[in-house]
Amino acid sequence: MKISVIGCGYLGAVHAAAMAELGHDVVGIDVDAAKIEQLSQGHPPFYEPGLPEILASAIGSGRLRFSTDMADARGSRVHFVAVGTPQQQGSNAADVSYVDAAVTALAPHLSAGDLVVGKSTVPVGTAGRLAALIDASGSGASLAWNPEFLREGFAVQDTVKPDRLVYGVRALPLAEEVPLVEEGSTKEAPSRNQLGAAGFETAASRASSTSGNHPDVDTLNEVYAAAVASGTPLVITDYATAELVKVSANAFLATKISFINAMAEIAEVTGADVTQLADAIGFDTRIGRRFLNAGVGFGGGCLPKDIRAFTARAEELGRGQSVAFLKEVDAINLRRRQRVVDLTVEALGDTVWDKKVAVLGLAFKPHSDDVRDSPALDVAVQLRGLGVNVVATDPQAIANARGRHPQLTYTSSLEAALEGADAVVLVTEWPEFAAIDPVWAASIVRGRVVIDGRNRLDAVAWRAAGWTYKGLGRP
Ligand code: UDX
């Protein structure tokens, strides 16, 4: 299938390459000429394991090309919109101007039968508004909302083999439909929630009664043929639900992390160990152990801004109270960064001036070079602001961190970071940091104090090597 992908950032570049890998004929489009040039050469503008390989093979096969010209979307049957929705300056709300601009620029190039597929994370209600915009263009194209759940660091596998697919599609008028209940049928009449507002049948009801009868569902099933054939769970629904699935999934994950971090705060004043607590409650399959790692908290380009945008949108809808808890989730998360700073200052004996601190990690999580809203970078910057001589290292994120915070000292050498340090702070759990030999590290630092902001070090081994070990939520 001929496919265009509008927006070639973390999401779009991976999506374009993965779609080509699946056999589609893809053009990736972005307004950033430098990014397009890099991608055309097969070089991703960011670190993502597996992406260089599929980019090279897709470009080599002739199935993937990149362009800055929106007219190159012409002739594609499916147009994915994968542009960013960052937090607005001075507000919690999402900035949807890039989505609006992409769809407005795409509209003149659409033809009847084309399907525009939104992948960006947007405030609920955006898809309905964009569908009206596409209708007004008179092209005869339609819109679906197909949220993306990829995790950085696993983006390629999450795109090629997603754990679920969600299609938000437009409701079709009942009159055009195969009746849900045929005459003489013993089947039950459709329940209220199978029927949409104002006499429209929802896509959900169609899917459950006459699967594959919606042209946009058919098109998406063709795009994701491999995933669909392998039995990937598929939820076919309306625009609003599809939009909300994405933000509520991220809100839930953020809440889970802040929940365990709140327990860490309680553990810190009671002498309990939050890591054992997480293991114990995680054995309950209703709770589950994943996303219960207490530490310096969540960051990145999604979770923090998505919970804020969700709060802002709910307030606009008069339902601010329903998600007011997300403000507390955000506050708990930010307090954990402060806690790491406080523990470090305490470890330095409250005199921080000109003391050297090795900050291990800058990316918001391992296997990524992304420093957007990174707790690790935030801790480094706060310590520097207090006058600490911060020397930070990270296997991938130094260039991005330096671009934002040139005032910090960076080194790609772990040894150089540790040498003569008065304290060591681990804030991104890269495997190479978790594997540091505490005996070796003890021999090159000046002060044997380690603050484990991700609870990933073996406290017993570090203490045995003469270190004062401080975890988060651990005695
Ligand atoms: C997230 C969602 O997981 C993904 O589905 C969505 O599409 C985009 O947002 P991502 O931002 O790549 O993906 O990172 P994720 O793996 O979810 O981690 C987010 C943050 O939470 C990281 O800073 C991570 O260090 C932190 N985290 C995660 C914890 O602090 N504790 C945990 O137990 C898990």
Side-chain angles (χ1 to χ4, degrees), residues 149-150 152 246 257 291-293 298-299 302 364-365 454:
F149 305 104
L150 66 79
E152 287 180 26
K246 172 67 193 211
I257 299 167
F291 270 68
L292 280 184
N293 293 322
F298 60 80
C302 293
F364 82 105
K365 67 172 190 180
R454 293 290 181 177

Side-chain angles (χ1 to χ4, degrees), residues 82-99 120-123 300-302 304-306 308-309 372 404:
V83 296
T85 51
Q87 189 174 335
Q88 270 177 35
Q89 291 275 341
S91 151
N92 276 339
D95 176 359
V96 289
S97 62
Y98 301 104
V99 178
S120 308
T121 303
V122 291
C302 293
K305 68 112 177 146
D306 286 352
R308 291 172 199 150
R372 287 176 295 171
R404 287 173 188 236

Side-chain angles (χ1 to χ4, degrees), residues 8-9 13-14 17 34-35 37-56 59 66 369:
C8 294
V14 174
K35 192 185 280 177
E37 179 56 30
Q38 251 184 297
L39 284 165
S40 301
Q41 310 278 328
H43 304 305
F46 50 85
Y47 174 76
E48 183 61 46
L51 181 58
E53 291 79 2
I54 63 162
L55 204 51
I59 293 171
F66 292 94
D369 65 356

Side-chain angles (χ1 to χ4, degrees), residues 121 148-154 158 164 246 249-250 253 256-257 260-261 289-304 306 333 363-366 370 373-375 427 429 454 456:
T121 303
E148 180 57 57
F149 305 104
L150 66 79
R151 299 158 299 163
E152 287 180 26
F154 302 91
D158 284 352
R164 79 281 211 190
K246 172 67 193 211
N250 279 352
L253 293 173
K256 203 170 176 191
I257 299 167
I260 201 66
N261 281 332
R289 180 63 178 80
R290 294 179 71 189
F291 270 68
L292 280 184
N293 293 322
V296 70
F298 60 80
C302 293
L303 260 45
D306 286 352
N333 191 52
F364 82 105
K365 67 172 190 180
D370 196 347
D373 211 335
S374 167
V427 263
E429 69 278 33
R454 293 290 181 177
R456 283 305 161 95

Side-chain angles (χ1 to χ4, degrees), residues 265-472:
E265 291 185 333
I266 304 294
E268 277 156 15
V269 292
T270 54
D273 185 331
V274 76
T275 61
Q276 290 185 321
L277 184 144
D279 289 343
I281 64 172
F283 283 123
D284 183 333
T285 51
R286 294 169 304 174
I287 297 173
R289 180 63 178 80
R290 294 179 71 189
F291 270 68
L292 280 184
N293 293 322
V296 70
F298 60 80
C302 293
L303 260 45
K305 68 112 177 146
D306 286 352
I307 59 169
R308 291 172 199 150
F310 194 10
T311 309
R313 183 65 182 135
E315 283 166 1
E316 276 172 21
L317 293 167
R319 289 288 184 277
Q321 229 178 4
S322 307
V323 291
F325 68 93
L326 291 177
K327 288 187 177 164
E328 202 51 50
V329 165
D330 200 6
I332 293 164
N333 191 52
L334 296 176
R335 280 206 299 271
R336 293 284 80 189
R337 300 177 184 192
Q338 189 59 47
R339 172 74 180 163
V340 173
V341 172
D342 292 347
L343 280 174
T344 311
V345 170
E346 202 181 283
L348 294 174
D350 290 331
T351 319
V352 298
W353 182 250
D354 228 23
K355 295 251 175 84
K356 175 177 171 178
V357 171
V359 173
L360 309 185
L362 292 161
F364 82 105
K365 67 172 190 180
H367 312 292
S368 169
D369 65 356
D370 196 347
V371 297
R372 287 176 295 171
D373 211 335
S374 167
L377 183 55
D378 199 5
V379 165
V381 169
Q382 284 194 52
L383 288 171
R384 180 75 199 106
L386 295 173
V388 173
N389 171 21
V390 169
V391 179
T393 187
D394 188 286
Q396 293 294 338
I398 291 177
N400 284 342
R402 184 181 276 128
R404 287 173 188 236
H405 292 286
Q407 78 276 23
L408 298 180
T409 303
Y410 300 98
T411 174
S412 55
S413 155
L414 177 60
E415 187 170 348
L418 293 175
E419 209 149 36
D422 296 287
V424 177
V425 182
L426 187 151
V427 263
T428 312
E429 69 278 33
W430 283 95
E432 42 270 74
F433 297 156
I436 292 173
D437 175 2
V439 177
W440 166 75
S443 69
I444 56 171
V445 296
R446 187 158 64 185
R448 294 178 184 178
V449 187
V450 62
I451 289 97
D452 183 2
R454 293 290 181 177
N455 291 333
R456 283 305 161 95
L457 301 176
D458 180 345
V460 174
W462 281 72
R463 285 184 178 132
W467 290 81
T468 300
Y469 171 93
K470 290 170 191 277
L472 291 191

Side-chain angles (χ1 to χ4, degrees), residues 170-174 177-178 180 194-197 199-207 209-210:
R170 132 182 4 230
L172 295 180
L174 274 174
E177 285 308 299
V178 178
L180 282 173
Q194 279 182 305
L195 293 174
F200 280 70
E201 179 190 6
T202 65
S205 68
R206 177 191 317 283
S209 59
T210 56

Side-chain angles (χ1 to χ4, degrees), residues 73-89:
R74 224 172 246 275
S76 288
R77 197 167 130 213
V78 169
H79 308 268
F80 284 104
V81 176
V83 296
T85 51
Q87 189 174 335
Q88 270 177 35
Q89 291 275 341

